[in-house]
Amino acid sequence: MANTTSAKKATRKIARRTIVNKSRRTQMRGAVRTVEEAIKSGDREAALKAMSRAEPELMKAAQRNIIHKNNASRKVSRLSQRIAKLAK
């Protein structure tokens, strides 16, 4: 347990940030899930629409250090590739 006043404050601050970060991570994962479901169903239009919502979510999460920026870029790239395959 934290002993100093500053350590106690840091613990409270971390707890508040954890709640916010969990919410953002959940929102991001939900956006990615909708893209994956659209791809799985084979609906290219729905996948593109979902991707236009998911990409900013991923990049925003990367900016806020919820996920690594390379991780976000990789997810966007792989999802885009899978959507492109639907056109064929």
Side-chain angles (χ1 to χ4, degrees), residues 45-56:
E45 289 301 315
L48 286 170
K49 189 178 269 189
M51 186 64 181
S52 68
R53 182 176 160 254
E55 186 174 356

Side-chain angles (χ1 to χ4, degrees), residues 24-51:
R24 287 186 176 144
R25 186 178 295 118
T26 301
Q27 197 171 358
M28 177 202 68
R29 286 179 178 160
V32 171
R33 195 175 298 116
T34 56
V35 176
E36 289 174 343
E37 287 170 359
I39 290 170
K40 207 173 271 187
S41 70
D43 188 357
R44 187 169 192 274
E45 289 301 315
L48 286 170
K49 189 178 269 189
M51 186 64 181

Side-chain angles (χ1 to χ4, degrees), residues 15-77:
R16 285 194 303 267
R17 296 306 309 162
T18 299
I19 293 166
V20 172
N21 288 340
K22 277 186 178 178
S23 170
R24 287 186 176 144
R25 186 178 295 118
T26 301
Q27 197 171 358
M28 177 202 68
R29 286 179 178 160
V32 171
R33 195 175 298 116
T34 56
V35 176
E36 289 174 343
E37 287 170 359
I39 290 170
K40 207 173 271 187
S41 70
D43 188 357
R44 187 169 192 274
E45 289 301 315
L48 286 170
K49 189 178 269 189
M51 186 64 181
S52 68
R53 182 176 160 254
E55 186 174 356
E57 288 282 345
L58 283 161
M59 291 309 173
K60 216 173 277 186
Q63 276 184 328
R64 293 173 172 154
N65 289 324
I66 294 166
I67 59 172
H68 195 275
K69 69 183 183 90
N70 292 354
N71 186 347
S73 295
R74 185 176 64 243
K75 283 182 188 290
V76 168
S77 175

